Amino acid sequence: AGHSFDVTRAGALNTIGHFTGGLAPIHANGFYIDVRVHPAPHWYVGIDLGAAFGGSVNPAFAARGGDTITWDSSSVMTMAAVAGARLPLGPLSLRAEVVAGIHGAELGSMTDTPQGLAASTVAPLVAPRVAADLWIHRWWVIEAYAGVNALDRSERMFGLGLGFHSQAFDGRR
């Protein structure tokens, strides 16, 4: 909500406007790829990549020329490194981790404009998260996580995912 967005014509690079967001929270559904390497049974490092897509984010903006801009689509992305600790409890694992990198948002408008407009922003991300994994098969887990950006506490994240492990669950870890 408090980030600055650069506005461009859809498909163009040069900025035609700028605004500081007074946006409602972006609610989006998408996917993430979280690749982790476990150098020790209780510690891991990896990468966290995500993209999600949503609809309209809030009421129209009035541009300086009098045009009304309605943001009718939105997307968010994350590119980060992750490091954490894992406590295996049989088929359930509890995790505490820190995700650090960048994340951003893009708004799109095809309504009430002669050409489509896009507004985008990118910001740093440092997010402590808690997570739980539940083994549902030898190779598969259902995982849930929640966290907050330590650099901007208004940015909260929640997720539910299906994970695949390259090492089968052996009942111990």
Side-chain angles (χ1 to χ4, degrees), residues 78-91:
T78 303
M79 293 188 302
V82 60
R86 180 176 161 269
L87 176 63
L89 302 169

Side-chain angles (χ1 to χ4, degrees), residues 88-150:
L89 302 169
L92 178 70
S93 294
L94 302 178
R95 296 186 282 129
E97 59 192 22
V98 174
V99 177
I102 61 170
H103 68 149
E106 183 168 294
L107 309 175
S109 176
M110 297 303 287
T111 310
D112 301 328
T113 57
Q115 287 182 296
L117 295 176
S120 60
T121 188
V122 176
L125 170 71
V126 177
R129 294 193 308 201
V130 294
D133 299 329
L134 177 64
W135 289 86
I136 58 172
H137 183 268
R138 290 179 34 182
W139 305 99
W140 296 92
V141 296
I142 292 178
E143 59 181 280
Y145 69 87
V148 63
N149 185 357

